[in-house]
Amino acid sequence: MVGIILASHGEFANGIFQSGAMIFGEQANVKPCTLMPSEGPEDIRKKMEDAIASFENQEEVLFLVDLWGGTPFNQASALLDGHEDKWAIVTGLNLPMLIETYASRFSMEKAHEIAAHVMQTAQEGVQINPKELEPKEEKKAELILGQVVSLLFITSLALMALCYIFKRPVLFLFGASEETYVYADQYLKIYLLGTIFSVFSTGLNGFINAQGYPKKGMMTVMLGAIINLILDPVFIYGLHMGVYGAAIATVISQGVSFMWVLSFFMGKKPFYHIKKENLILKAGMVGKITSLGISGFVMQGTNCLVQVVCNKMLFMYGGDMYVGIMTVINSVREILSVPGSTLGSGAQPVLGYNYGAKQYERVRKAIRFTAAIGFLYMLIAWLAVIIFPKEILSVFTTDKAMIGLGEHALKLYFFGFFFMSFQFVGQSTFTALGCAKRAVFFSIFRKVIIVVPLTIILPMLGLGVEGVFIAEPVSNAIGGLASFTTMYFTLYKKLPE
């Protein structure tokens, strides 16, 4: 466990040490070191050296110091010399920083890792009430909003242009053939006109939720979905527009969602508004925004990679029919996975809150409860697929040939579906307890390291299209158990009694 030294001018270190114990309980390997008016630099240095000598692990030491440039900081810096690869100093000591440091020691074993992590918490600990007295933060938030608007605009135009230029190779990459290309082309060239609507409504919806209007954010999604459901049969069958009609209905529904989002930011309800002066891109801000979104991009990118590989292998070994079957199976999977992923997402604030409140037994119970309910639901979903494959496929298609071939494929793909519950629980726990990097890793591990290679290799070993469908349950078992087992031994078992 990382050793912690609290260093300050006067009794501040002793006082915050006592406050931390009141909130988080008594902590081992934590020592306050004070510089009193009658003492000099060598005195506090001696206190720090004695404190380090008392730690169980003297390899990992974190100094939490009151003031940058003061005597406690200077003496800590002198001790740091030669230990920069293991030790770290963070200044601006406050109570939120200390509490977060205590909590982080249960999931992080490096002083450098904890130091980097607690910086944000320390900054967020400085608040003011009433909120109207925070003009600088408001300006910063509106700057971020403006930067995101510009980035979304540039991204949507670039995405639309690239897809128009490389339309044919893109469609074939995602599974189109010479027979289906004509329909895909008809749909895509209309659909791309709504790119800016789709990107803006999706990208800015998070800003609506963040300002305390989740119902408004939900309506962004609901409006588009409902209008699309209404307009699809009107344009496709009523006006006999076929594929063109489906694309036009989608663009219109996206446009309505876009107008809904835009009307919100132009109204009086939001705290932050889109202002012209904030639309000019700033390199530093763009870098921060991009770095925060890269993990989500990677996870979505791996989903696309899996889809591309599956479609290519299915077309190679089974033709258009099996590409269509995979499209239906993916729809089934998306629907059946929603309760499981929602359970995991819903558990995160419960886990995080109780972890921060050092209610560790509640954290354990929440993990066990989530795992049990998730496993039970996934098991029932799997049994439903095994017992009623024809009925499930019939919801998505009336093609008898597709249903006939799809029954066996659906059973293969969903075999052992309950293993996904372990993936959801593991990743949700990692995220809730501050180990988001592990959550991203296990997502990539299952999709890129397991699914993609198996999807390519198994058909080549003589399994044909069945190999593509078998790759999914194998990855669910290996990836799910790996995620859950790692979570169990690195987090669950290490929680204090």
Side-chain angles (χ1 to χ4, degrees):
M1 181 175 284
V2 175
I4 300 172
I5 290 179
L6 311 177
S8 73
H9 297 79
E11 294 286 356
F12 175 57
N14 286 328
I16 201 169
F17 175 72
Q18 185 181 46
S19 298
M22 291 175 65
I23 296 173
F24 212 87
E26 296 291 337
Q27 295 293 308
N29 297 304
V30 180
K31 295 290 183 181
C33 297
T34 59
L35 175 65
M36 303 308 293
S38 60
E39 296 177 331
E42 65 281 357
D43 294 305
I44 191 170
R45 176 166 181 157
K46 179 66 166 56
K47 293 177 183 179
M48 292 180 182
E49 291 173 339
D50 292 342
I52 295 171
S54 70
F55 292 157
E56 295 175 3
N57 179 12
Q58 299 173 20
E59 291 295 316
E60 297 288 340
V61 178
L62 177 61
F63 297 84
L64 301 183
V65 185
D66 59 351
L67 182 67
W68 180 280
T71 299
F73 170 80
N74 292 335
Q75 294 305 308
S77 297
L79 293 174
L80 183 72
D81 187 30
H83 299 277
E84 293 89 345
D85 59 328
K86 295 284 188 178
W87 297 3
I89 302 173
V90 181
T91 62
L93 173 61
N94 59 25
L95 191 55
M97 178 196 292
L98 181 60
I99 298 303
E100 187 64 24
T101 301
Y102 284 168
S104 299
R105 289 202 299 175
F106 295 114
S107 59
M108 301 178 186
E109 299 177 352
K110 304 293 183 183
H112 284 190
E113 190 177 9
I114 296 175
H117 174 71
V118 301
M119 284 294 293
Q120 185 66 32
T121 302
Q123 293 168 3
E124 292 173 352
V126 181
Q127 300 286 332
I128 189 170
N129 195 14
K131 292 293 183 181
E132 290 77 11
L133 299 177
E134 296 184 354
K136 292 183 179 180
E137 286 302 314
E138 182 176 327
K139 288 181 180 179
K140 184 177 180 181
E142 288 191 334
L143 174 62
I144 294 172
L145 175 59
Q147 299 288 286
V148 169
V149 168
S150 295
L151 289 171
L152 291 174
F153 181 73
I154 294 170
T155 302
S156 61
L157 290 182
L159 185 62
M160 182 170 62
L162 288 171
C163 286
Y164 267 121
I165 295 171
F166 301 103
K167 182 170 53 176
R168 184 179 177 85
V170 165
L171 288 173
F172 274 93
L173 182 65
F174 280 89
S177 64
E178 293 294 345
E179 290 74 19
T180 60
Y181 174 76
V182 61
Y183 303 107
D185 178 64
Q186 289 175 4
Y187 185 87
L188 187 61
K189 65 185 179 183
I190 301 296
Y191 176 82
L192 287 175
L193 296 174
T195 302
I196 192 168
F197 299 148
S198 176
V199 170
F200 265 84
S201 58
T202 304
L204 293 180
N205 205 41
F207 286 89
I208 297 177
N209 294 329
Q211 294 182 65
Y213 295 97
K215 292 181 180 179
K216 295 281 186 182
M218 183 178 67
M219 282 300 296
T220 304
V221 180
M222 293 291 292
L223 274 175
I226 292 171
I227 292 173
N228 204 351
L229 286 172
I230 295 171
L231 293 182
D232 266 341
V234 173
F235 283 106
I236 296 172
Y237 304 112
L239 299 178
H240 306 288
M241 297 180 69
V243 175
Y244 284 115
I248 293 171
T250 301
V251 172
I252 292 174
S253 65
Q254 291 173 341
V256 172
S257 293
F258 169 75
M259 294 304 296
W260 171 264
V261 171
L262 197 62
S263 67
F264 173 83
F265 285 102
M266 293 178 67
K268 296 181 179 180
K269 287 187 176 182
F271 298 111
Y272 314 121
H273 296 82
I274 301 171
K275 297 180 179 179
K276 291 181 180 179
E277 60 267 26
N278 293 327
L279 297 176
I280 301 173
L281 293 177
K282 303 180 184 298
M285 189 62 70
V286 170
K288 291 179 180 178
I289 293 171
T290 304
S291 64
L292 288 172
I294 196 68
S295 61
F297 174 79
V298 169
M299 294 179 75
Q300 290 298 321
T302 56
N303 287 335
C304 291
L305 176 63
V306 171
Q307 183 180 344
V308 167
V309 173
C310 285
N311 286 347
K312 295 298 289 185
M313 297 304 292
L314 286 171
F315 180 74
M316 185 185 303
Y317 287 90
D320 288 329
M321 177 62 75
Y322 278 98
V323 174
I325 290 172
M326 178 58 85
T327 301
V328 172
I329 289 177
N330 279 331
S331 299
V332 175
R333 185 179 187 277
E334 286 296 320
I335 293 173
L336 294 181
S337 296
V338 167
S341 61
T342 302
L343 180 66
S345 299
Q348 288 180 25
V350 177
L351 291 169
Y353 175 82
N354 284 287
Y355 183 72
K358 58 183 177 52
Q359 297 292 330
Y360 302 118
E361 184 54 34
R362 289 184 183 177
V363 175
R364 292 191 190 90
K365 287 181 179 179
I367 293 173
R368 293 196 297 267
F369 176 83
T370 305
I373 298 298
F375 180 84
L376 180 62
Y377 165 73
M378 292 293 191
L379 181 62
I380 293 172
W382 174 54
L383 292 175
V385 169
I386 297 299
I387 298 170
F388 307 109
K390 184 176 181 180
E391 290 76 9
I392 292 173
L393 291 171
S394 298
V395 174
F396 298 90
T397 181
T398 57
D399 189 315
K400 292 183 178 179
M402 182 175 289
I403 293 173
L405 293 172
E407 285 187 60
H408 180 59
L410 187 68
K411 290 180 180 179
L412 285 178
Y413 189 87
F414 275 87
F415 185 79
F417 185 58
F418 51 84
F419 282 110
M420 276 301 294
S421 63
F422 297 113
Q423 182 87 18
F424 288 140
V425 174
Q427 290 191 206
S428 297
T429 305
F430 284 136
T431 303
L433 303 191
C435 303
K437 290 181 180 179
R438 298 184 202 178
V440 174
F441 168 77
F442 281 106
S443 177
I444 296 174
F445 173 72
R446 189 181 73 82
K447 297 170 186 174
V448 178
I449 300 177
I450 303 176
V451 176
V452 171
L454 287 179
T455 301
I456 297 171
I457 295 170
L458 292 180
M460 297 172 63
L461 295 178
L463 293 174
V465 292
E466 288 190 352
V468 178
F469 296 113
I470 291 172
E472 181 68 15
V474 173
S475 72
N476 287 343
I478 298 175
L481 290 175
S483 176
F484 185 85
T485 303
T486 303
M487 178 276 294
Y488 180 79
F489 285 105
T490 63
L491 292 181
Y492 184 93
K493 292 284 287 183
K494 288 190 176 183
L495 290 171
E497 293 298 330

